[in-house]
Structures are given as structure tokens and as C-alpha cells.
Amino acid sequence: MMKRFAGLLLLALTLACPPVLAKAPSALFYLMNTQKSTNSFLANADKIDVLVPTWYGVDAAGLVNGGANEYIYGIAQQKRLPITPILSMTKGREGFHKLLHDEPAKRRMNEALVREGKKLGYKGFQFDFESIVWTDRDAYTLMVKQTADALHKAGMTLSVAVVPNGPGHAEGGEFSKWMWEYWRGPYDLKALGQAADLISLMTYDQHTRWTTPGPVDGMPWMKKHLEYALTQVPKEKLSLGIATYGYRWYTGNPVKEDGTEASNITATYIDADESFPLAIEQKATVQWDPIEQESWFYFYRDDMREWVFRPDARSFRARYDLVKQYGLEGFSCWVLGAEDPKVWDELPAASR
């Protein structure tokens, strides 16, 4: 009798207390100042957890310029969608170097961020500083700590976008050396992860206009950098970068503007609204790479082969599954407007 009673009690408790569903990864999407990006935001805002628009810049003197797009801001407010605008450098590598080593300029920058953030009710800001000389690594870490302290005191957060830099040092080859000197080397992931609230790992641009054709964010490459980042940053503070744009490689004009001639292998961004029709127009066979987990195709124009690598809904699903597999805070998706529309079928409604 007692066993039967215990069994009935357990059943009753199970029915009364359904299992707690795991929280979906946080969906952070970047927004550019283009109509295409705006259109995507308007159509899909209910599936976005954090909006990161490219609204602000700073110069070498710490002058912050920019402002909210009132239309986008108003809709985000209506939907209670947190906004964490990007802050980027407006004066290039040398300008950023000057800012890093100018304490009054950094204070002016932080005061402006606090003032703007309080006025508009931002969740915080995201630093997106790239093309930094690697010898400024410690200076950049210090600036992140200083800004994080200022924003935290004001009740806001600081997230930092970083170029992936596994295995933590420069690897062989001149290209790898250059990448470390100006792109990977400046980021002390462990220290940044301790100071900031979130690290957005920019696990895209594996192949670019600087390289031979290849996947935008091949899966083995992405896992390599993710697994290194996890040795430096807690998974609860790590957001995996996912690309929605593609690249098209082709043979460019060998004659320069000054009349001289040189090899000109060219690559340009290509979004889904261009790459999908292009494959149809050129009667190309779109192929799936099971190792890289990305779609690609090629065709001939003027007897020259052109290559297109394009993330699509299938590749997005594989990377979204990776986020869940590793238990990450979420993902950071560059960029609204470039995506295969079917990407949105993979995401739940935002929880807010």
C-alpha cells in the first residue's frame, strides 16, 4: 500500500511540476545603417534578444560621435528589446593607438558613453576595435577595464568583440604572422573576459579578400578557436560569432588607376539575396561541404572560374547547434539583412 501511495504521490508531483526547459541561447544580432539591415530587423525583431547597431564612433581625442536611429530605437523600446550599440574607431590604427595612451581622452570617451547610455536607456555598449597593433595588447586591456568600471557604476554592461586567436600565439607563415601582429594578438582573452560582461568571438572571415577562396567560417576552424577561447573565458560569458554573409572571388581588372598592371584576384561580400539568384542565373550546382559545413558553388565568366562561399540556413543550424552543445551564453550574428531568410525558422521567439 505504501509503495502504491508513494508512486501516486510521485506521479502527482511530476504532473504538477513539469520539467524546466533549458533557456535558449541569447540571440545577438548586429544592425548596419542600411535599408536591407533595417528591413530584416523590422521583419524579425521578435526573435532577437539583443540588438547591436553600428551607431557610434570615437576618435583619438576621445570624442564620441553618432546617435540612435530614432525609428529603430522607437521600435526597440516598444518591444522592450535591449540595445547595446557598437563603439568603433574613426581614425584608424594610429588614431586608436593614440587614444589608448591618452588618459584624459579615455575619460572623455567614458563620460560620453555613460551620458548617452543613461539618456537612452541602453543595456550597455560593445567595443568593436580591430586592426590594433599587438604591442597595444595591455593598453587595450586597461581601457576595457576602465570603461567596464565606468559603465558598471552606471548600471550598464560592456561587451567586447574579439578576433579569434587560438592557439594563443602566432603560428607559422607570413600571413599568420601579419594576422597576429594586427588582428589576433591584441586580445588578451582571459583578462578581457574578467573585465567585460560578454565576449563576442568573431568566428568568421576565415577566408576573405586577403586570402584564397574558402569558407567564411569553416566548422573545424570555428571549433579550434572556440575551444581555445573556452580555456580563457567562462562559457557563460562567451558568444559565438556566426556569419550570414558570403564572399565571391573573381579575377579583377589587372590595370590599375595609374595605368600600371598587376595581378588582381578580388573578393567581395555577397549576401543571400544576391548569391541565391546568382547560382540560378549561372546554372551553378550548389554543393555542401560536409566537413566545413558550408555551402559553395562555382561558375565561369569570361573563361575564368568564380567561387562563391555562402552561409545559409543549413550552415546556421549547424553553428546554432554548436552553441547549444557547448552551453554558451549565445551567439553574435553579423549581420542583419545578409541572411538566408530560412535562418529565422531555426530560432525561437525572444524571451523578454
Side-chain angles (χ1 to χ4, degrees):
M1 177 65 72
M2 289 300 294
K3 287 184 178 179
R4 182 181 178 190
F5 175 76
L8 290 172
L9 180 60
L10 179 61
L11 176 62
L13 289 172
T14 301
L15 293 174
C17 303
V20 177
L21 297 177
K23 182 181 180 295
S26 178
L28 182 157
F29 278 85
Y30 294 98
L31 173 78
M32 295 179 67
N33 293 319
T34 66
Q35 190 61 52
K36 187 159 61 173
S37 204
T38 296
N39 292 345
S40 179
F41 166 72
L42 296 176
N44 304 292
D46 291 335
K47 291 194 173 185
I48 299 171
D49 290 304
V50 181
L51 183 68
V52 183
T54 55
W55 285 347
Y56 296 92
V58 62
D59 68 9
L63 175 64
V64 174
N65 69 291
N69 177 307
E70 292 184 8
Y71 180 58
I72 298 292
Y73 176 79
I75 292 173
Q77 290 290 98
Q78 291 172 14
K79 295 182 176 292
R80 297 183 179 179
L81 172 56
I83 300 176
T84 304
I86 275 179
L87 181 72
S88 59
M89 169 50 59
T90 62
K91 294 298 181 181
R93 186 183 296 157
E94 186 57 34
F96 190 62
H97 173 78
K98 291 178 181 177
L99 174 64
L100 288 176
H101 298 277
D102 187 334
E103 293 300 321
K106 287 188 289 181
R107 283 196 294 272
R108 288 191 290 269
M109 176 189 75
N110 290 336
E111 288 167 1
L113 295 180
V114 168
R115 184 170 58 249
E116 186 77 352
K118 281 185 172 180
K119 181 178 74 174
L120 296 174
Y122 291 150
K123 177 183 179 181
F125 286 89
Q126 178 167 110
F127 274 2
D128 183 17
F129 296 113
E130 305 173 42
S131 186
I132 310 167
V133 64
W134 75 280
T135 50
D136 275 337
R137 179 186 180 102
D138 292 342
Y140 183 50
T141 299
L142 175 60
M143 189 175 86
V144 167
K145 290 177 180 177
Q146 292 168 331
T147 302
D149 287 346
L151 291 178
H152 290 162
K153 287 176 183 176
M156 288 179 278
T157 63
L158 177 67
S159 59
V160 181
V162 302
V163 177
N165 60 4
H169 57 80
E171 296 181 274
E174 290 302 312
F175 183 80
S176 179
K177 178 176 178 290
W178 174 77
M179 283 292 294
W180 185 264
E181 285 178 317
Y182 299 113
W183 298 93
R184 299 186 182 186
Y187 304 103
D188 183 340
L189 289 189
K190 187 171 185 178
L192 295 177
Q194 290 171 344
D197 299 279
L198 182 72
I199 300 297
S200 289
L201 192 65
M202 294 188 285
T203 34
Y204 35 76
D205 270 4
Q206 177 186 4
H207 295 87
T208 67
R209 63 190 178 90
W210 296 96
T211 74
T212 54
V216 180
D217 52 1
M219 187 60 76
W221 176 85
M222 177 176 273
K223 284 184 176 180
K224 166 191 168 180
H225 288 291
L226 171 58
E227 288 171 0
Y228 171 72
L230 284 168
T231 68
Q232 307 296 308
V233 181
K235 64 181 181 180
E236 297 82 10
K237 279 191 169 187
L238 197 58
S239 180
L240 185 70
I242 301 179
T244 57
Y245 62 92
Y247 276 103
R248 167 182 160 240
W249 283 264
Y250 60 96
T251 304
N253 187 351
V255 182
K256 297 181 179 181
E257 292 184 2
D258 63 3
T260 60
E261 299 174 351
S263 172
N264 186 13
I265 310 305
T266 304
T268 56
Y269 294 115
I270 187 167
D271 296 341
D273 63 349
E274 300 167 315
S275 63
F276 279 68
L278 179 63
I280 296 171
E281 172 194 319
Q282 296 295 331
K283 299 182 174 60
T285 301
V286 178
Q287 303 183 58
W288 173 257
D289 188 321
I291 296 175
E292 306 291 357
Q293 296 190 39
E294 189 166 300
S295 296
W296 63 281
F297 62 88
Y298 70 85
F299 60 92
Y300 286 88
R301 195 195 307 268
D302 296 332
D303 296 325
M304 295 289 105
R305 179 176 287 195
E306 298 190 10
W307 300 84
V308 174
F309 283 79
R310 67 170 202 204
D312 55 18
R314 186 177 179 184
S315 63
F316 180 88
R317 184 187 312 121
R319 287 149 183 79
Y320 187 52
D321 287 345
L322 194 66
V323 172
K324 292 185 283 187
Q325 176 189 336
Y326 281 82
L328 305 181
E329 186 275 345
F331 65 88
S332 301
C333 197
W334 185 275
V335 58
L336 283 167
E339 74 277 3
D340 173 356
K342 292 182 179 179
V343 159
W344 298 103
D345 297 336
E346 305 296 329
L347 296 176
S351 55
R352 52 175 182 269

